[in-house]
Amino acid sequence: MRPEDSVLESSEAEEPIQTARPPKRRCLATTSRGKACRVAPLADADFCRAHFRKLELEPEAPPEPEAEPETARPAGDQEALVQELLHQVERLVKLTLTRLHGSGLLTAISVRDVTHALRESLGRLLPTMQFDVLRLLRDSLQSDYLDLDTWRGLAYVIRSAFEARMEETRARFAGTVPTDEYGLDYAFYEAVRPIVSFVYRHWFRVETTGVENVPADGACLLVANHSGVLPWDGVMLSEAIWDKHPQPRHARLLFLKWFATIPFIAPFLSKTGQVLACPENGRRLLNQGQLVGVFPEGVKGIGKLYKDRYRLARFGRGGFTRLAMETRAPIVPVAIVGAEETYPALYKLDFVAKLLGLPYLPVTPTFPWLGLLGFLPLPTKWHIHFCKPIRFNERAPSRAEDYLVVSLLTERVRSIIQSALNEMLRRRRSVF
Amino acid sequence: MSEATAQEAAKKPKMTTPRRKARRPTVPHAPRARSVTRRIMITGLAGYWGTRLALRLEQDPRYELILGVDTQVPTAGQFSRTEFLGLDVKSPMLLDVLTAQRIDTVVHLNIVHSRDKERMLDNNVLGTRHVLAACAEVGVKKLILKSSTGVYGALADNPNFLPESWPLRGRPYHPYFRSYVEVEKYASEFLGRHPDLKLSILRFASILGPTADTALSRYLRDRMVPTILGFDPLYQVTHEEDVLGAFCRAVETDFHGPVNIAADGVLYLHRIIRMAGRTPLPIVTGLSFPILNTLASLPLMPLPPIEIDYLRYLWVADTAKMREEFGFHPRFSAEETVKDFATARRVQRFAGQDDSSELGEYASSVLRDILEDPEEDELHAP
């Protein structure tokens, strides 16, 4: 038994499954060729199916009220129905997967992953669509794969997903997709997020701690260490807040001027809500009460060599401190461990970089040698820690021009991040 | 500032017009509307903006004289009380006209965009200098200049919202913005020397509307609109009615200095193109644009509407000053502006077709004879 299964079971506590499981498992254990059983129903296979039928019959009780037009229902009722269906489908998913695991197929997929993915993708559909999709999913999961309805259901699921995508594309072509004044396009952001959350969960397996230190509303300045050759740390930082924070917030990260000159990257950054790093933008965002993320190390941090890893570079000229003091936005120092090893830069080709107009051009064990494969980050294990916020009193704005205060505070933020990094590195057992 | 207004509201809770008072921004040098009657001169009357502004100002009885000056004669019969004087702004006679007609406000709209660089320099830059100098000489109280937010230049390190205090970094080699950058450079020098002359410089974002012929409307003229591959900058637009509204506001108030004028909302360039019913045609930067520019410099081709950097980087202006100090609120949002433009363009395509609404007496009597209920189509009802 996997630990996640036990969690799921306790949350559901369904008796029929508990009783039904032993005969089914025994049946599969005896004949691992389950397909043969289904095609030619023998006494043994029949017995298995009968139990299965019994399971199927039990959740089929609710479909009767669903036959009525769904639009007539109040929203709360619909919601409850969707939830109920979701539970049924999850139970069936569990059932199917344990069967598959028993037969030695697809052992890599865990029940938790599937249910999580299901809930996430359902959240993007309209309520009525959720209902249809779930009903068809349930019917198809519990039915035979030779049954025509299974395929019909599958086709419906694909079609509704396709239609939703088409609708969005059409809206994009008609120019009706709204954006905010900084260019954040939520539809685009939602389309990109599955990839990001895959990387977050399965590639870097990011562990996030202290996310509650980020205030739920109002201005806040996240100050993080910058590392890795490509800014994956920024992507993971915003995903950490979106995914783990009790009240998800969109973090606006400030990017380097250089990125604004790169084709495809520039509109991508602006469509996901990032803005150029300059004092005017930072001040405006903080005055509007937004969550802003900065990497004060800049190029010195992101382009540093592998041998200098986790040694913080100079924190700019303290521009971020001045901004926070002016606007009295709390500073939350963020320590990110794991990004340094994604692209271990062994050497920097400064001369070539200057020729090409790049801020840095590193040589990694994979980069120039393997071509595009060199852009693939190493799957290191990450840990993002949000430290306690530094808050300012009402005297702070008047001292924002005081060089001494600014530099002391900048140094303090830097030392907080450095000590958090040291502590996290001490605890870390392996890079991967 | 909000605290101050709150205190003010607490002190006098029930006045005759408390709401209006509270809403008015408490900026120290906020422009106040003057009650004196005005004698206005519009240079470049025959141009699109000159004509439309004169027609708008004519309707306001507070302005006792509206005098248009241009070398071209405007279409006859469209003005009700605007007077026209065929005069070049660079001519020394301008001084005599200004003094004889006791002009107190000059709206300088005599800016042309043409392929001929020499003519543009002569007319726009030297013409504006002459007008500025003449106004200062005879003691005109107020001068209004039209400019563009393009004078900030489209650069990769521009902040998302450019304030008026931002340095003008527009590289003046594009014909469209060239004049504005040069005029503004001279005007800012001039401002220091003549503090008693109120000089308002209205920097408009890309103007769009049903009738105006502007850089952006020319850019959106064809079915396929060239864009830069891999770039999609944010754009700001202004509706042509708001342009006129801003001029009227500038005539009314004593605003001094530059102000950005743009509609609410910022749109991606590709979205504007889509909303206008056009298709973006992404072009690889390094190769094709020089070719396009060369083609455009040939006499047969139209002017290149927008420079390459303006299709690549941000040049969105901050409109906080427009709201708070200048006191102007655009009627149209950015989306409404583009929609208005798109609708007008769609209708124009069919405008040539005869809808035969004029039947004549005999024909209508024939129709009336056979039709049961000759009602007007409700579509035509106003």
Side-chain angles (χ1 to χ4, degrees):
Chain A
M1 266 283 102
R2 285 154 177 260
E4 55 260 37
D5 286 19
S6 65
V7 176
L8 264 172
E9 246 168 276
S10 64
S11 64
E12 283 177 16
E14 288 284 341
E15 292 84 23
I17 298 184
Q18 298 289 350
T19 51
R21 190 170 284 158
K24 183 181 63 67
R25 182 168 284 165
R26 191 180 32 165
C27 175
L28 277 164
T30 46
T31 61
S32 59
R33 321 166 281 280
K35 278 174 194 165
C37 287
R38 258 182 262 142
V39 174
L42 296 169
D44 187 28
D46 251 331
F47 180 69
C48 179
R49 275 190 79 165
H51 275 267
F52 226 40
R53 274 276 165 246
K54 217 161 79 183
L55 275 175
E56 287 162 27
L57 286 173
E58 185 266 327
E60 248 169 42
E64 263 66 59
E66 292 154 22
E68 298 159 23
E70 281 87 30
T71 45
R73 295 169 179 290
D77 203 6
Q78 175 112 26
E79 194 93 326
L81 262 174
V82 165
Q83 282 306 319
E84 196 184 314
L85 268 172
L86 192 63
H87 278 301
Q88 285 179 19
V89 167
E90 277 174 8
R91 211 171 51 201
L92 282 162
V93 163
K94 204 171 84 183
L95 210 65
T96 318
L97 279 176
T98 42
R99 199 155 49 114
L100 283 171
H101 289 165
S103 66
L105 289 162
L106 292 170
T107 42
I109 302 173
S110 77
V111 176
R112 202 183 51 179
D113 285 352
V114 173
T115 48
H116 188 93
L118 186 72
R119 277 176 186 275
E120 204 178 55
S121 49
L122 267 177
R124 299 202 192 95
L125 298 175
L126 294 171
T128 46
M129 224 140 81
Q130 283 182 5
F131 189 77
D132 286 346
V133 166
L134 275 176
R135 198 171 54 182
L136 283 157
L137 206 60
R138 186 199 61 188
D139 293 352
S140 66
L141 272 173
Q142 62 188 357
S143 67
D144 203 328
Y145 292 107
L146 286 179
D147 193 351
L148 196 63
D149 277 345
T150 312
W151 297 102
R152 209 177 284 155
L154 214 63
Y156 191 92
V157 171
I158 293 168
R159 201 183 70 190
S160 60
F162 180 73
E163 270 174 6
R165 197 57 63 200
M166 276 304 287
E167 199 52 54
E168 200 196 306
T169 315
R170 203 172 295 137
R172 203 164 280 283
F173 269 68
T176 51
V177 181
T179 54
D180 80 343
E181 58 175 356
Y182 297 96
L184 171 61
D185 182 342
Y186 267 107
F188 180 78
Y189 188 65
E190 279 299 307
V192 171
R193 263 207 67 221
I195 304 165
V196 174
S197 70
F198 171 81
V199 175
Y200 180 87
R201 236 176 245 130
H202 301 289
W203 194 263
F204 293 137
R205 292 143 302 159
V206 183
E207 183 192 342
T208 306
T209 49
V211 76
E212 65 283 349
N213 286 329
V214 180
D217 55 357
C220 174
L221 189 67
L222 302 170
V223 181
N225 60 316
H226 213 11
S227 52
V229 172
L230 296 180
W232 280 107
D233 46 0
V235 181
M236 293 302 115
L237 177 61
S238 55
E239 176 66 18
I241 293 164
W242 194 262
D243 195 59
K244 290 285 182 296
H245 200 274
Q247 273 166 299
R249 296 189 70 180
H250 190 274
R252 301 215 181 237
L253 307 179
L254 306 188
F255 61 79
L256 202 67
K257 171 199 161 186
W258 179 63
F259 287 111
T261 63
I262 312 173
F264 301 107
I265 300 292
F268 176 84
L269 287 171
S270 125
K271 277 183 185 170
T272 49
Q274 331 298 346
V275 295
L276 182 91
C278 64
E280 289 77 16
N281 280 346
R283 194 173 298 125
R284 192 182 162 102
L285 284 165
L286 288 175
N287 280 332
Q288 288 174 343
Q290 303 224 36
L291 180 62
V292 180
V294 291
F295 297 97
E297 288 174 275
V299 179
K300 299 183 296 301
I302 196 166
K304 72 167 100 83
L305 293 177
Y306 187 66
K307 65 178 170 65
D308 299 323
R309 62 192 184 277
Y310 301 118
R311 215 174 295 154
L312 290 181
R314 183 166 57 84
F315 263 26
R317 292 177 189 80
F320 73 92
T321 326
R322 217 163 27 230
L323 274 184
M325 284 170 75
E326 271 176 34
T327 55
R328 287 187 62 196
I331 292 180
V332 174
V334 184
I336 301 173
V337 162
E340 292 274 17
E341 291 91 356
T342 49
Y343 303 96
L346 304 174
Y347 185 72
K348 279 200 277 189
L349 298 168
D350 284 334
F351 178 69
V352 185
K354 203 169 272 179
L355 272 183
L356 294 174
L358 306 173
Y360 49 88
L361 186 69
V363 176
T364 71
T366 54
F367 172 55
W369 331 114
L370 295 180
L372 282 179
L373 264 181
F375 285 95
L376 202 70
L378 293 179
T380 51
K381 166 86 179 142
W382 284 37
H383 183 185
I384 300 178
H385 179 68
F386 295 86
C387 304
K388 286 262 178 289
I390 303 170
R391 294 180 194 282
F392 296 100
N393 59 16
E394 66 280 354
R395 286 190 300 280
S398 61
R399 304 204 65 178
E401 296 303 321
D402 190 336
Y403 179 76
L404 186 71
V405 179
V406 169
S407 63
L408 282 175
L409 201 62
T410 310
E411 202 43 51
R412 176 148 175 206
V413 173
R414 188 174 173 272
S415 67
I416 288 172
I417 297 175
Q418 185 68 68
S419 59
L421 281 177
N422 295 345
E423 177 61 29
M424 284 151 81
L425 287 169
R426 207 168 17 250
R427 284 193 204 160
R428 182 168 78 164
R429 296 224 194 85
S430 155
V431 173
F432 296 100
Chain B
M1 205 199 311
S2 62
E3 281 178 14
T5 46
Q7 280 176 4
E8 209 178 68
K11 259 185 216 166
K12 29 186 176 176
K14 271 163 198 166
M15 295 293 282
T16 44
T17 53
R19 187 168 275 195
R20 282 194 74 119
K21 283 250 167 98
R23 250 190 214 172
R24 193 160 274 182
T26 52
V27 188
H29 48 277
R32 248 169 277 123
R34 285 199 298 195
S35 57
V36 291
T37 48
R38 294 293 196 80
R39 301 175 71 84
I40 304 166
M41 176 192 267
I42 298 174
T43 65
L45 182 74
Y48 174 82
W49 296 114
T51 309
R52 288 207 62 183
L53 183 62
L55 287 171
R56 177 77 75 96
L57 290 175
E58 267 180 356
Q59 291 162 8
D60 197 330
R62 280 179 299 170
Y63 308 127
E64 64 183 42
L65 173 78
I66 298 155
L67 175 70
V69 172
D70 206 333
T71 43
Q72 285 171 297
V73 184
T75 323
Q78 51 181 337
F79 300 114
S80 59
R81 63 188 182 98
T82 301
E83 287 168 35
F84 171 69
L85 202 65
L87 186 76
D88 188 356
V89 286
K90 288 200 304 301
S91 107
M93 289 297 288
L94 189 73
L95 286 161
D96 297 319
V97 176
L98 286 171
T99 44
Q101 296 290 342
R102 305 192 315 280
I103 300 291
D104 54 24
T105 302
V106 174
V107 186
H108 181 57
L109 295 173
N110 195 24
I111 302 271
V112 294
H113 299 292
S114 118
R115 188 180 304 286
D116 188 351
K117 279 183 188 164
E118 204 47 50
R119 184 178 158 229
M120 269 185 25
L121 177 83
D122 187 49
N123 183 76
N124 299 352
V125 182
L126 300 182
T128 308
R129 286 173 78 147
H130 188 84
V131 171
L132 281 167
C135 290
E137 177 66 33
V138 303
V140 168
K141 293 192 188 70
K142 185 159 179 56
L143 182 61
I144 298 153
L145 290 183
K146 179 176 179 281
S147 182
S148 158
T149 53
V151 294
Y152 299 116
L155 283 101
D157 58 348
N158 274 349
N160 276 48
F161 293 91
L162 294 155
E164 281 82 356
S165 54
W166 200 255
L168 307 183
R169 302 188 293 172
R171 275 172 291 174
Y173 58 72
H174 184 267
Y176 190 76
F177 299 120
R178 183 197 178 99
S179 308
Y180 287 139
V181 174
E182 289 185 17
V183 164
E184 283 230 19
K185 286 213 170 121
Y186 181 73
S188 61
E189 284 170 27
F190 185 85
L191 272 175
R193 274 182 276 134
H194 301 275
D196 46 334
L197 175 71
K198 299 276 181 240
L199 176 64
S200 18
I201 303 171
L202 309 184
R203 290 178 184 156
F204 293 102
S206 306
I207 301 165
L208 214 54
T211 59
D213 176 35
T214 63
L216 190 59
S217 77
R218 278 195 297 277
Y219 174 66
L220 295 170
R221 186 191 50 191
D222 298 323
R223 182 173 289 272
M224 302 290 266
V225 177
T227 59
I228 314 268
L229 185 70
F231 286 97
D232 194 3
L234 287 162
Y235 256 61
Q236 247 177 345
V237 289
T238 326
H239 196 278
E240 57 185 41
E241 295 295 333
D242 286 328
V243 173
L244 296 174
F247 274 124
C248 290
R249 176 77 195 158
V251 169
E252 266 172 42
T253 62
D254 278 347
F255 185 79
H256 188 64
V259 61
N260 298 325
I261 311 280
D264 296 342
V266 180
L267 306 173
Y268 278 109
L269 177 63
H270 280 238
R271 198 174 158 213
I272 293 180
I273 296 171
R274 294 279 183 204
M275 281 171 84
R278 305 287 189 252
T279 313
L281 178 70
I283 289 173
V284 180
T285 327
L287 295 169
S288 319
F289 257 81
I291 301 170
L292 275 186
N293 276 331
T294 319
L295 277 177
S297 67
L298 298 174
L300 288 174
M301 296 284 286
L303 275 174
I306 289 174
E307 199 190 318
I308 176 166
D309 276 352
Y310 291 86
L311 298 177
R312 205 157 40 159
Y313 302 132
L314 268 176
W315 52 295
V316 171
D318 191 355
T319 54
K321 196 174 174 186
M322 170 186 87
R323 265 158 237 291
E324 285 154 21
E325 290 180 37
F326 186 54
F328 176 69
H329 300 272
R331 268 174 55 209
F332 292 84
S333 76
E335 282 177 44
E336 285 163 355
T337 306
V338 181
K339 269 182 199 155
D340 210 16
F341 167 77
T343 315
R345 284 296 151 111
R346 250 198 329 271
V347 172
Q348 262 173 28
R349 216 187 299 162
F350 308 109
Q353 290 174 15
D354 186 15
D355 61 350
S356 66
S357 54
E358 293 294 314
L359 279 175
E361 199 54 41
Y362 192 85
S364 10
S365 74
V366 170
L367 279 184
R368 224 177 291 131
D369 202 36
I370 56 158
L371 289 176
E372 199 177 296
D373 195 12
E375 264 182 53
E376 269 293 309
D377 195 347
E378 58 190 12
L379 258 178
H380 289 292

